[in-house]
Amino acid sequence: MADLPVPTLPWAHPLESRRARLEDVSAVRQELSAPVAAVDLRLDPAGAGPAAVAAVVGGPLPERPDTWTALPAGLALRLGPDEWLLTSSRARPEDWEFGVDEAALAHGGSAVDVSAQRTSLRLRGQRARDLLASCCALDLRPASFPRGRCAQTLLGQSAVLLVAHDTDDLQLFVRTSFAGYVADLLVDAAHDF
Amino acid sequence: MQLISCPWCGPREEVEFSYGGQAAVAYPEHPAALTDEQWARFVFFRDNPKGPFAERWVHAAGCRRWFTAVRDTRTHRFVSPSEVTS
Ligand SMILES: [Zn+2]
């Protein structure tokens, strides 16, 4: 039998069908972020584990609750006392998981590939915080949610992970199956701006 | 809306939390040795005080951690700093 080419689906952002509606919003620029490799790391924060993982991912893990640190090609977000989300825009998901898991395993921790779990939107503009605040109860003013902060919370009825990159630059991670709801919510809320 | 203080995330809206019932309900040491009535007491019966009550809460929409907090059932006010427990 002749070798047939293996058909592969081209990757599309889960919000691709809403791209035009998001771009129509003029007050806040809403970009569909490219996919990243992501692992969920569970690890004892007290031992030598975090330093060992830091050496593998190329940057320190955030120490304080609800903060993030920059990695060479991604983010290290603190999700809980013993939980981090580590992303990389360069690594292949399986390599990213393997490398982090190997480092964590030696210290009783574990890492699981969650690249397909969340998708992401980037919100830029002076009104970006106002737009998010219109459907979120957190205090998102720059003084209490400055660059370096992140938070898991509710946006409307959907759980989201908010990341503050700058005063007028925020990122939103959301479960893929809730992404459409969140995008529609933001487009709807932006009518008031 | 009421704010509940998560020991990890700090004060957050009540809707982000789920209630887990009375805290420190010990699992019976020898479950097989219990009578049906004793087992039913363990499974279904809880204190219902008028006043401070130690309870389990989970920060479901945030850090997903369980913690124990003492709430006054008359005022719904949380009266002690909450603790993270696994
Ligand atoms: Zn929390």
Side-chain angles (χ1 to χ4, degrees):
Chain A
M1 211 170 100
D3 279 344
L4 295 169
V6 179
T8 50
L9 279 172
W11 185 85
H13 198 285
L15 294 175
E16 193 57 52
S17 64
R18 288 171 170 84
R19 184 188 289 272
R21 294 182 62 196
L22 288 165
E23 282 171 356
D24 263 355
V25 175
S26 53
V28 177
R29 212 158 81 235
Q30 302 184 64
E31 295 161 12
L32 310 185
S33 306
V36 292
V39 297
D40 190 270
L41 167 70
R42 300 298 297 265
L43 186 63
D44 180 1
V53 172
V56 171
V57 297
L61 304 190
E63 285 175 10
R64 282 178 299 121
D66 283 4
T67 59
W68 63 272
T69 51
L71 301 179
L75 305 171
L77 304 123
R78 189 87 185 249
L79 299 185
D82 61 352
E83 187 177 12
W84 290 263
L85 181 72
L86 309 173
T87 72
S88 169
S89 55
R90 249 187 253 142
R92 287 167 55 217
E94 49 271 44
D95 298 338
W96 191 237
E97 178 193 42
F98 183 82
V100 176
D101 190 49
E102 199 176 37
L105 202 61
H107 299 274
S110 67
V112 175
D113 176 25
V114 291
S115 307
Q117 198 173 56
R118 296 178 179 87
T119 187
S120 177
L121 266 180
R122 192 85 175 235
L123 291 90
R124 289 194 173 94
Q126 282 187 336
R127 308 295 308 271
R129 285 169 189 265
D130 296 340
L131 179 60
L132 287 174
S134 66
C135 21
C136 176
L138 273 195
D139 183 357
L140 292 176
R141 289 172 298 175
S144 41
F145 200 69
R147 173 183 164 78
R149 277 288 314 273
C150 63
Q152 296 178 92
T153 186
L154 290 174
L155 196 69
Q157 308 208 46
S158 168
V160 292
L161 170 59
L162 299 178
V163 181
H165 287 280
D166 213 334
T167 307
D168 50 8
D169 180 2
L170 295 110
Q171 192 175 5
L172 177 164
F173 287 91
V174 57
R175 305 279 166 152
T176 306
S177 54
F178 288 105
Y181 162 77
V182 165
D184 292 346
L185 185 72
L186 291 173
V187 168
D188 190 44
H191 280 306
D192 297 335
F193 289 74
Chain B
M1 193 179 292
Q2 167 136 13
L3 294 176
I4 296 177
S5 201
C6 168
W8 180 255
C9 307
R12 294 291 188 91
E13 290 260 3
E14 183 185 353
V15 288
E16 296 191 0
F17 297 83
S18 293
Y19 184 62
Q22 181 175 356
V25 178
Y27 192 78
E29 218 170 305
H30 302 290
L34 298 188
T35 65
D36 283 355
E37 199 204 320
Q38 285 169 324
W39 180 252
R41 288 211 163 264
F42 161 68
V43 173
F44 301 112
F45 283 61
R46 295 292 180 264
D47 298 342
N48 186 21
K50 188 175 176 183
F53 189 34
E55 300 166 326
R56 301 290 285 161
W57 287 84
V58 61
H59 191 188
C63 61
R64 301 189 298 142
R65 290 314 182 280
W66 283 93
F67 59 93
T68 297
V70 177
R71 181 180 61 102
D72 191 312
T73 57
R74 291 166 302 188
T75 58
H76 200 37
R77 185 171 292 159
F78 285 78
V79 291
S80 79
S82 3
E83 286 167 43
V84 180
T85 43
S86 49

